[in-house]
Amino acid sequence: MSRSPSFSVKSELSLKPDPESLKRWIHAFCIMRFDLEQGQLLEECYPPGCLSQEEEIEVSFNSFPDSVSQHHNRASIHDCIFFFRFRRPKKNSEERDGCDRYLYGYVFNRQRHDERLKRGGEQKSVVILSHTPYSSVFRPLLQIIGPLYFDVGNKAIEHIAGYVSMWPAPVPGKLMELPIGNAMLKVNLPPAHSLPLENGVLYEESASSMAPLLPTNQSVPQGLFHDADLFGIYRGLLLQLWTLWELLLIGEPILIIAPTPPQCSEAVACLVSLVAPLFCSVDFRPYFTIHDPGFARLNSLREGDTFPPIVLGVTNLFFLKALRNIPHVVSVGTPAPNSNRVALTSRSAGKLSVKSEGLGVQPLSLRRFSPTNLLNAVKLRRDGPLCLMTEHKEAIWTTYSAITKPDTSILNRLVDAGMSPRVEESMSVVNNEILRRHFLELTTNFLAPFGPYFQVNAPSDGSSPYVTPPSLPSFGADEFLSNLSARGVGKFLSKRMKYNWPDLYRRFLRGPNFMPWFQRRRAVAEQEQHRLWRLARMKTDMKQITYQMNELEAVDSFNAVEKYISDEVMLRESGGDADSEGMFQKLKKDLQAVFSVLPRDMQQLLLSNPQRASLLQDPSELQ
């Protein structure tokens, strides 16, 4: 864990939190205590009463490691940070929508070992609950509020809540500076297209975010959990990253097991980040326990039953038996010293040399083929995931045959930092950027063939922007696959995929990620097309167009302008945007211009409608 920013509660400052402003970022702060007789208890919740009883139970069980850390130093303190995600219970028997469906819990857990205490120690957790997966915000915030709570108690919670309630509203995809006491959090929020819809409404998303172009600024996140340590967590399984990318892309169920909650939650976050900029519709649980209501449903599945698309991060080895039929199991991480689990002396596919020269920076060597490695791989596959019950190994068990080949040119660019922790951290940042850029490029190229279905049509020069805009191209899966197979997948993917690459697209189309992503991109494209045509109407001089119209065209244009006026009235009544009033007045003038070229008898007929007459003759607004 990186060093926490310095922070202190100043007695002369009394910040009164604003609950409504706080809700933009944080749903609740919770203090959880593990009681020896009663188990996990909610000791404090701020604001009070914002959790249902079911939610309190969920938070309680997810806020502690499955077992106490195996650090046996006397009178020692062990802190860790991890996060979880759970589905909120139905509200009034109705399913919740969008960002309200799940809650994220960010946990600062402290285990204090003291032989003078009952059972030799105690543990508490400070939990931040939020509707948003803003790990780049809540991780450093936990590093402040966690130690502060254990120093000054409950007043730390209200004090931090006061600062958070003064923050501006979150702006997805932007760099934000968030003051917290004498510290300043500078964080990049994930982009709008990676977040669930808020009350069914699209964030302001750019139609160009679909374009098969890589961003020039790599520090700007393109998906969720951009700050996750991809290289550090999957260092022992680098050659398997392309298999994991495919499994998440097509929505296969995956069980990730690690020795500790920080490792398993980070592993799940890394996996989700691999498919950026694709919106991930697979249910993911960074830290999952047997107490989760979803476990009973998963445990009831029999052999031959299909697991739902889900990624589970667990630490409890019991899941290996309970979910033995889950098709893909990944083991990552390193057990803590003195842990009951035995770590291998070398990782399955990590660094081989630990000799350091200078700063210790050298190319990362990957395990090459050898008879010993082959025998170990065969034994590992034969023993299955249950071998983790006795010995921890970093490995993946799956019968899935990946279509994408590991990119050795990318792996060869990764560097090994040797034994220096300081250099290790900086080199991990470099390696993460290399890996993340590659998988961003891989996903972007994979999605590129869908680009024509989001093609926006703007009015051409000289044409009328008052006609109905053309519809976006219709989509059919069979036609898409047929056309794609005929023209090929492009140079970038053809070099990296096997001959059966159409199968990956076929599985993607059937999987849980495609339709939500596709429908959302279509909605964004339609929104952009609507904006362009509306802007063109604002700039068009209707008097110039009317000179070229025959009578039939003039009637059609009158009806079209009248319809757009009705749309603007509805937009104004619903709150509208800043341009709504200007657009309304412009359309009134356009309507009068078309009216002036209509035959006299038709004008008299149109004026017989009082509401229409007010638009044509009265300069005041339509009421």
Side-chain angles (χ1 to χ4, degrees), residues 1 43 75 91 98 105 107 147 191 279 297 369 378 523-525 540 562:
M1 191 183 340
E43 198 171 77
K91 190 176 184 180
V107 183
F279 175 72
R297 294 191 293 272
F369 172 80
V378 171
V524 171
T540 298
E562 195 172 40

Side-chain angles (χ1 to χ4, degrees), residues 50-59 86 88-89 96:
C50 59
L51 295 178
S52 67
Q53 188 174 359
E54 295 96 324
E55 289 169 340
E56 286 185 11
I57 294 172
E58 284 265 20
V59 174
F86 69 90
R88 303 185 72 187
R96 296 175 184 266

Side-chain angles (χ1 to χ4, degrees), residues 343-417:
L344 293 179
T345 54
S346 62
R347 301 185 178 189
S348 57
K351 61 178 183 180
L352 296 181
S353 172
V354 295
K355 183 185 294 183
S356 60
E357 298 176 8
L359 287 177
V361 177
Q362 52 190 306
L364 183 72
S365 58
L366 298 168
R367 176 154 298 195
R368 306 299 181 187
F369 172 80
S370 72
T372 303
N373 293 343
L374 179 61
L375 288 174
N376 288 339
V378 171
K379 183 176 183 299
L380 200 63
R381 185 164 187 168
R382 183 194 64 205
D383 294 344
L386 287 176
C387 70
L388 297 173
M389 302 290 287
T390 56
E391 184 179 46
H392 181 77
K393 301 169 177 147
E394 290 189 300
I396 177 172
W397 289 268
T398 179
T399 57
Y400 178 79
S401 180
I403 292 170
T404 312
K405 297 172 284 189
D407 194 322
T408 53
S409 66
I410 295 298
L411 295 174
N412 289 334
R413 288 172 56 196
L414 303 179
V415 291
D416 188 354

Side-chain angles (χ1 to χ4, degrees), residues 47 64 121 212 358 454 485 598:
F64 295 96
F454 314 126
S485 297
L598 291 173

